[in-house]
Amino acid sequence: MFGNPWFETVAEAQRRAKKRLPYAVYGALLAGSERGATVADNVGAFAELGFAPRVAGHHAVRDLSTTVLGMPTAMPVLISPTGVQAVHPDAEVAVARAAAGHNVIMGLSSFASRTVEEVVAANPNTAFQLYWSGDRDTIVQRMERARTAGCKALILTLDWSFSHGRDWGSPTIPDRIGLRTMLRMAPDVLPHPRWLWRFVRAGRLPDLTTPNMRQPGGGVPTFFGAYGEWMQTPPPSWADIGWLAKEWGGPFLLKGVGRVDDARRAVDAGVTALSVSNHGGNNLDTTPATIRLLPPIAEAVGDQIEVLLDGGIRRGGDVAKALALGAHAVLIGRAHLWGLAANGQAGVANVLDIMRGGLDSAVLGLGHASAGELGPDDLVIPDGFTRTAGAAAR
C-alpha cells in the first residue's frame, strides 16, 4: 500500500474509499433517497450543536465504558448492521474482529455476506439483525440460528421502505457476479486495481449472496432475492413485534423509531431497547435528523428502556452530543464501512480509535469523569433545534 495507511478522520477514510472503490460500490455506500435531504441533515445537525466546556476541575482519567443490550462495551459505540459488504473480501468478519479488538459490540445484518457463525466466532458480543421477511416459521428459524451461533441480542429493523430514486443517480448493482457481469463492469472496476487485487489475493469474487437469509431446505439467496422476499412479506403489526420480542426472550432492539408515540408503543410491546433511526437517510427523504428527534423520545421512554441513536455519526464529538441529549449509545454505519474500504480490518479499528479519541476529548473538556455524566447542560442548543414527531404527551 502506498503512503501512510493510518488516517486521522472519518472524512479522510471516506476520501480514500471514494478513490479506491468502483463507482457502483462506493455509490451503494452513499445510500440516501430522493434529494438526500435527510442524509445531509443527519450529518449537518450535529454541527448546529455547540459544546460548553469547563475551564478547571478536569479528570485525569475518564471512563467511557458501559453496558448495552446486556453486553459490556469499552465505549457507547456499536457497529450498526449493514448489508452485503463488497468493499473488502473479509467483509463483516474483518469488522467483527476490529470491534472485538476494541471491546465493541458487533451488529450483524441478516443481509450480510458472511455467516452469523463466522462473525460470532470473530466477536462473541454480536447482536443479530432481522428484517420482517418471510412467514413466522422462517423468521423463527433465522432467529434460532442466531441464538445457536451465540448471538446475545436481536435487532429488528423496520425503518426501511427502499426508495429507489436518487437525484444524483443510483449505481447499478448486479444480482450475481459472473463472467458477463465482470465484462460489463470492467470499465468501472479496472481503474481501481487495489480493490480488485484484494479479492484476487483472497481467491474470491465480491459476494452478493445473503447466507443468513437461507430458508429451510433452500439455497442461499442473492441480495435481490432476499429483497424480493421482504417485498412480498406483509409489514408487521405491533402485535407481531411483541410476539417476536417474546420469542427471542432476551435483549431486543427495535431500530427505526422516530416518533414519541411509536417509542411508547415499543415499550408496551416488550422491547428492551430502541434506536432513533431513519436508516441513514435511505428511507423517506426529508425525515428530520435523528439527533433532532432524540430528546423528546429519550425524555418519554429513556427511564424504561435503552434509547440508542444512529445516523450522521462521523466523529467522537458527535457521540458525546448524542449522549448529552439522552442516548445511551450510538451505532455507526457508513463510518466503519469507509474504514473497511480504506484499510480493511485495520481501517475499521482506525475509525473506532477516532471515535474513542474524540469522545474522550469531549468528556475531558466538559469536566466529567465518565461518558455517562454527559447531559444537556454540556451543550449550546439553538432555539428550534429539536423536532417532535408523534404525540408528545399521553
Side-chain angles (χ1 to χ4, degrees):
M1 179 176 292
F2 300 101
N4 185 358
W6 188 80
F7 44 85
E8 294 185 351
T9 66
V10 171
E12 175 59 22
Q14 182 181 0
R15 283 191 289 269
R16 295 186 187 188
K18 184 177 182 179
K19 182 177 179 181
R20 296 174 185 182
L21 294 176
Y23 168 75
V25 180
Y26 179 72
L29 297 188
L30 289 180
S33 60
E34 297 181 345
R35 74 184 70 191
T38 295
V39 175
D41 197 31
N42 272 352
V43 177
F46 281 101
E48 296 179 24
L49 295 168
F51 283 122
R54 291 172 171 81
V55 73
H58 297 133
H59 298 268
V61 178
R62 280 81 54 197
D63 182 11
L64 306 184
S65 65
T66 187
T67 298
V68 185
L69 296 171
M71 293 176 274
T73 177
M75 60 177 170
V77 177
L78 288 70
I79 298 295
S80 186
T82 56
V84 177
Q85 296 181 6
V87 302
H88 192 279
D90 293 333
E92 294 86 3
V93 171
V95 178
R97 288 171 178 159
H102 283 65
N103 191 21
V104 164
I105 298 165
M106 172 72 182
L108 177 67
S109 172
S110 56
F111 277 28
S113 59
R114 302 298 286 269
T115 68
V116 62
E117 291 82 7
E118 291 177 285
V119 171
V120 173
N123 188 338
N125 283 341
T126 292
F128 185 70
Q129 176 262 350
L130 280 172
Y131 286 102
W132 188 265
S133 181
D135 59 24
R136 282 192 172 192
D137 289 342
T138 299
I139 291 170
V140 167
Q141 181 266 333
R142 290 169 181 155
M143 180 188 71
E144 290 302 330
R145 178 181 173 183
R147 192 197 307 274
T148 300
C151 290
K152 296 179 180 177
L154 197 70
I155 300 172
L156 177 64
T157 296
L158 298 182
D159 60 336
W160 189 39
S161 58
F162 204 85
S163 175
H164 293 270
R166 302 183 187 184
D167 287 8
W168 56 94
S170 298
T172 300
I173 303 175
D175 191 40
R176 296 180 185 275
I177 299 293
L179 179 59
R180 182 176 298 180
T181 300
M182 287 189 288
L183 290 174
R184 187 177 72 249
M185 299 188 70
D188 184 25
V189 172
L190 292 179
H192 305 275
R194 278 187 283 177
W195 175 80
L196 183 60
W197 174 243
R198 282 174 172 170
F199 286 92
V200 171
R201 189 172 54 186
R204 62 167 65 98
L205 294 173
D207 194 351
L208 301 181
T209 60
T210 56
N212 299 310
M213 291 291 287
R214 183 195 298 269
Q215 289 193 348
V220 177
T222 64
F223 173 86
F224 286 106
Y227 167 62
E229 180 193 271
W230 170 81
M231 281 191 68
Q232 297 172 50
T233 303
S237 65
W238 282 107
D240 289 325
I241 295 169
W243 165 81
L244 186 59
K246 186 176 180 180
E247 286 289 319
W248 175 251
F252 184 103
L253 185 149
L254 178 63
K255 186 174 181 294
V257 176
R259 297 171 56 102
V260 173
D261 49 0
D262 276 354
R264 288 176 170 146
R265 295 200 71 172
V267 172
D268 293 341
V271 310
T272 58
L274 63 82
S275 184
V276 181
S277 174
N278 50 40
H279 215 87
N282 197 21
N283 193 23
L284 295 178
D285 196 29
T286 69
T287 299
T290 52
I291 191 66
R292 300 188 192 279
L293 297 169
L294 171 65
I297 292 174
E299 182 179 356
V301 301
D303 60 343
Q304 301 170 71
I305 61 174
E306 293 177 354
V307 175
L308 284 72
L309 173 139
D310 64 86
I313 301 290
R314 299 292 186 269
R315 48 192 60 83
D318 298 340
V319 180
K321 291 172 181 178
L323 299 180
L325 290 183
H328 182 66
V330 305
L331 301 101
I332 59 171
R334 290 182 181 89
H336 83 261
L337 290 176
W338 288 327
L340 181 65
N343 195 24
Q345 178 179 332
V348 179
N350 197 156
V351 167
L352 293 174
D353 284 335
I354 290 168
M355 294 293 169
R356 181 175 181 85
L359 175 59
D360 186 58
S361 293
V363 174
L364 169 63
L366 294 167
H368 296 304
S370 73
E373 296 175 357
L374 292 166
D377 188 52
D378 294 311
L379 301 179
V380 178
I381 306 171
D383 292 340
F385 176 82
T386 299
R387 306 286 190 272
T388 301
R394 272 186 159 155

